Amino acid sequence: MVERTGKFLLIVAASVCFMLILYQYVGPGLSLGSPSGRSYPEEPDLFPTPDPHYVKKYYFPVRELERELAFDMKGEDVIVFLHIQKTGGTTFGRHLVQNVRLEVPCDCRPGQKKCTCYRPNRRETWLFSRFSTGWSCGLHADWTELTNCVPGVLDRRDSAAAKAPR
C-alpha cells in the first residue's frame, strides 16, 4: 500500500511540475488575463508621431517600385550590372552568369573569371558586368563612370565582333 501511495505522489508531483513548465512557456502567448483580475492596456505605440527632425532623403513612389520592365534579350537591350563593394555584388554577379536559366547560357570556362554571354541569335553581349566584360570601365566604377563608359565599350565590342571573320 505504501508503495502505491509513493507512486501516486510521484505522478502527481511530476504532473504539477509539467503543468507549471507548460504554463510558463505557453501561458504568456495566451491572453489569459492578469492574475490579479486587472487588465493592462495594450502595448503603447513606440513611435506615435514622426520625428520632426527626420527628413526622407530618398522617396520611391509605389508605382516605381512595382513597375515591370520588358527586357528583350534578342533585341538591343543590355543589362548593366553596377557592382557595389560589400553588398554581395560579387555573388550576385557570378549568379547572373552561372546560374540563370537562359536560351543560350553564358559560357564560363574553368580558371577564368569572365564568361561570354551572347544573345540567342548573334554574337553580341546582353550583360555588361564584371563577370561578362571584365573591368572595362575601371575598378569599381560608379554610376557616373558607367553612364559615360558603357556605350563606348559596347560599340567597340560590337564593331570588333562584326569585323572578326566567322
Side-chain angles (χ1 to χ4, degrees):
M1 184 82 160
V2 175
E3 192 174 299
R4 281 185 152 178
T5 308
K7 284 184 182 179
F8 178 73
L9 288 177
L10 182 64
I11 291 174
V12 169
S15 297
V16 168
C17 288
F18 177 74
M19 295 302 285
L20 286 173
I21 292 171
L22 186 67
Y23 177 74
Q24 185 177 6
Y25 283 103
V26 178
L30 302 174
S31 59
L32 300 174
S34 64
S36 63
R38 291 182 287 164
S39 63
Y40 296 104
E42 293 184 20
E43 292 182 19
D45 188 10
L46 295 177
F47 304 104
T49 58
D51 183 7
H53 302 290
Y54 176 74
V55 177
K56 280 188 177 179
K57 191 172 184 180
Y58 303 107
Y59 173 71
F60 298 106
V62 174
R63 71 179 195 287
E64 285 294 318
L65 295 173
E66 292 180 349
R67 72 181 172 159
E68 292 184 21
L69 299 173
F71 177 72
D72 184 17
M73 184 180 286
K74 293 181 180 180
E76 299 296 320
D77 295 344
V78 176
I79 293 177
V80 179
F81 177 65
L82 173 63
H83 177 127
I84 301 173
Q85 292 177 329
K86 306 295 181 191
T87 60
T90 301
T91 303
F92 184 73
R94 193 177 305 119
H95 171 72
L96 276 176
V97 296
Q98 291 178 352
N99 302 329
V100 176
R101 292 186 187 141
L102 302 168
E103 187 176 328
V104 177
C106 295
D107 181 28
C108 300
R109 300 180 189 271
Q112 291 185 343
K113 291 191 176 190
K114 287 184 358 180
C115 301
T116 53
C117 299
Y118 290 131
R119 296 181 190 278
N121 51 0
R122 56 188 184 269
R123 292 179 56 91
E124 291 178 0
T125 186
W126 59 269
L127 175 66
F128 189 92
S129 76
R130 166 186 168 192
F131 288 102
S132 63
T133 59
W135 297 107
S136 303
C137 293
L139 188 66
H140 295 295
D142 64 0
W143 176 258
T144 308
E145 291 170 328
L146 283 175
T147 307
N148 295 331
C149 170
V150 168
V153 171
L154 288 177
D155 288 341
R156 281 194 306 260
R157 284 182 170 272
D158 292 343
S159 65
K163 290 179 184 177
R166 299 188 186 247

